[in-house]
């Protein structure tokens, strides 16, 4: 556990994970400011800045691509197991 921070894989992924986390945090803050939010107690708060558009993604993209991505994952996993067994 003490060598995780010095791992080359960890250091290589740090920038990508940081960028994705920053974009996700920006989207959450933007939508909270533009459309309001509901806190953990169930209290709904109004939008702070009115007139900002809501950031959304269409669900159809994920619905169409998820079966093919699932098959790709299964085939790559099977190929990995075959290489492991062959070694």
């Amino acid at each position: 556990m003490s060598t995780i921070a010095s791992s080359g894989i960890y250091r290589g992924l740090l920038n990508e994970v940081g960028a994705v986390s920053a974009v996700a945090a920006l989207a959450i803050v933007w939508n909270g400011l533009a459309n309001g939010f509901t806190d953990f107690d169930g209290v709904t708060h109004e939008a702070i800045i009115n007139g900002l558009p809501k950031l959304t993604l269409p669900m159809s993209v994920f619905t169409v691509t998820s079966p093919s991505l699932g098959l790709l994952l299964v085939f790559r996993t099977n190929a990995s197991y075959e290489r492991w067994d062959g070694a």
Side-chain angles (χ1 to χ4, degrees):
M1 292 298 290
S2 63
T3 61
I4 289 177
S6 63
S7 169
I9 294 172
Y10 180 78
R11 284 185 278 135
L13 290 175
L14 191 60
N15 291 336
E16 287 84 1
V17 171
V20 170
S21 299
V23 169
L26 177 67
I28 290 170
V29 170
W30 179 279
N31 283 337
L33 291 174
N35 300 316
F37 61 95
T38 303
D39 62 13
F40 292 122
D41 292 330
V43 178
T44 303
H45 300 277
E46 295 297 322
I48 296 173
I49 302 173
N50 293 323
L52 291 176
K54 184 176 182 180
L55 299 177
T56 60
L57 291 174
M59 289 304 296
S60 61
V61 174
F62 301 108
T63 304
V64 170
T65 59
S66 62
S68 60
L69 289 174
L71 285 174
L72 178 68
L73 180 63
V74 167
F75 288 137
R76 289 186 56 89
T77 303
N78 286 340
S80 298
Y81 285 146
E82 287 176 15
R83 284 197 308 267
W84 178 264
D85 289 339

